[in-house]
Amino acid sequence: MAVVGRVEDFPEGKARAVDVDGRPVCVVHLGEQFYAVDDICSHAHYRLSEGEVYAEEREIECWKHGSTFSLIDGRPRSLPATQPVSVHRVTVTPEGSVDVELGTRR
Ligand code: FES
């Protein structure tokens, strides 16, 4: 478990890149929910955190070739990516700190 910032560091509706124990992770804040997936696309070495977030679909789009990934289970929703990205557990403490636990789901 690593503290990656405070709630106010993560603008609502946006993705932000963080480092968790040397691993690039993309954290997304949507309403009351926080999501964390691997920041490197499963198709090629590009950062998902630089892509667009689709709040209603709970997805993020890789800017390079346009695959979208579920923020809930990490699975690609469109080609060319065919492999999922790992999903990590996010906890917001009562004090407002945002913690990420690596590798809890894939
Ligand atoms: S690098 Fe992400 S879809 Fe190709």
Side-chain angles (χ1 to χ4, degrees):
M1 182 95 75
V3 177
V4 295
R6 296 191 51 77
V7 168
E8 55 267 29
D9 298 329
F10 296 89
E12 212 274 327
K14 303 278 187 204
R16 191 180 147 204
V18 300
D19 181 285
V20 181
D21 298 335
R23 182 168 176 156
V25 171
C26 168
V27 173
V28 178
H29 178 192
L30 290 175
E32 299 295 307
Q33 291 287 328
F34 280 76
Y35 301 90
V37 297
D38 271 351
D39 198 17
I40 304 302
C41 182
S42 65
H43 179 240
H45 200 87
Y46 291 90
R47 286 187 176 266
L48 295 181
S49 59
E50 295 173 2
E52 192 161 346
V53 173
Y54 298 107
E56 199 165 309
E57 295 82 357
R58 296 295 197 250
E59 291 177 3
I60 190 163
E61 181 178 50
C62 177
W63 65 271
K64 184 61 182 177
H65 304 117
S67 282
T68 54
F69 291 86
S70 166
L71 294 168
I72 296 167
D73 61 17
R75 293 180 196 276
R77 293 284 187 257
S78 58
L79 294 170
T82 58
Q83 298 301 309
V85 290
S86 292
V87 175
H88 310 291
R89 186 190 307 278
V90 185
T91 306
V92 178
T93 69
E95 296 75 31
S97 117
V98 180
D99 301 351
V100 173
E101 185 179 355
L102 284 181
T104 49
R105 286 194 293 140
R106 175 160 190 152

